[in-house]
Amino acid sequence: MDQIFKKPEESKITLTELMLPSHSNFSGKIHGGFILSLMDKAAFASASKFSGNYCVTASVNRVDFLNSIEVGELLTLHAQVNYVGNSSMVVGIRVESQNIRTGEVKHCNSSYFSMVAKDENGKGVKVPGLIISDNNGVRRFLRSIKHIKMRNERKIEFSSDNFEIEKYRDVLKDYNVKIEI
């Protein structure tokens, strides 16, 4: 069977939702957990659209909340697949809010969700390859490769089997920590 390839554009989705008082936290801003839930939905939709299978969230890269989101603003999430492995995909998500009265648009955060395509039995299933046709696409793909490699190296370095505290005592002197071992 021939390998199927798709363009990132074939995974693009946009979700827009009005931010309501029920979405706010105690300070009157939109609750970060609600935003994360919407981001997960966007990642699921993008990865599932691309792969043609239901997908699950394997991991989430860091999420930095850059600007607060107000009640009454429109929140728009843009998502697309930036990287594919065998059964995994990395979905890039950009979150923007828009003040309905002024039209001002704010970039609220961006993040990367690792998604895995599953078959009817819950097993990982092969996803299409990715056709990249511009520099940004190559940059995003390579960024994901580097992130995956660094995550795996960090996992090995700090595993309980490999960790040696003596290697880090000097590093810890510069931090607000007291080691009593």
Side-chain angles (χ1 to χ4, degrees):
M1 186 171 160
D2 290 335
Q3 170 74 24
I4 297 171
F5 288 85
K6 292 183 175 181
K7 295 182 179 185
E9 295 78 21
E10 295 179 72
S11 71
K12 275 190 178 179
I13 64 103
T14 302
L15 298 176
T16 300
E17 189 163 333
L18 177 64
M19 295 296 97
L20 302 173
S22 61
H23 303 141
S24 67
N25 59 25
F26 294 115
S27 66
K29 308 295 183 193
I30 300 305
H31 193 281
F34 181 72
I35 304 306
L36 288 171
S37 174
L38 291 175
M39 293 173 75
D40 194 42
K41 288 178 187 177
F44 170 84
S46 177
S48 296
K49 180 180 176 183
F50 184 81
S51 69
N53 292 281
Y54 286 117
C55 297
V56 296
T57 306
S59 69
V60 178
N61 196 351
R62 64 185 285 159
V63 178
D64 295 322
F65 292 94
L66 306 174
N67 288 295
S68 61
I69 301 164
E70 307 290 335
V71 170
E73 290 185 330
L74 285 177
L75 193 73
T76 301
L77 297 91
H78 304 279
Q80 82 171 24
V81 171
N82 291 338
Y83 167 88
V84 296
N86 187 35
S87 62
S88 66
M89 296 155 281
V90 173
V91 177
I93 304 168
R94 181 181 173 93
V95 180
E96 298 174 334
S97 66
Q98 182 179 19
N99 181 305
I100 293 173
R101 291 184 180 139
T102 67
E104 177 190 9
V105 175
K106 298 181 291 188
H107 176 209
C108 300
N109 67 46
S110 294
S111 189
Y112 302 91
F113 281 51
S114 294
M115 308 296 290
V116 177
K118 299 286 187 171
D119 66 14
E120 312 76 45
N121 301 313
K123 302 287 185 191
V125 62
K126 188 163 181 58
V127 299
L130 197 61
I131 300 169
I132 301 174
S133 57
D134 63 22
N135 285 344
N136 266 339
V138 172
R139 179 183 59 80
R140 290 176 178 136
F141 195 91
L142 289 170
R143 182 193 181 285
S144 293
I145 290 172
K146 184 153 188 141
H147 179 261
I148 291 165
K149 181 180 178 192
M150 289 171 51
R151 181 180 63 210
N152 289 338
E153 289 170 354
R154 188 171 51 247
K155 184 177 179 179
I156 292 167
E157 179 181 0
F158 291 101
S159 73
S160 58
D161 293 336
N162 294 327
F163 184 74
E164 297 176 29
I165 193 167
E166 294 308 319
K167 291 181 179 179
Y168 301 97
R169 284 197 185 271
D170 286 342
V171 172
L172 294 172
K173 289 178 185 176
D174 297 331
Y175 291 89
N176 189 19
V177 63
K178 183 178 180 182
I179 308 297
E180 294 183 341
I181 299 175

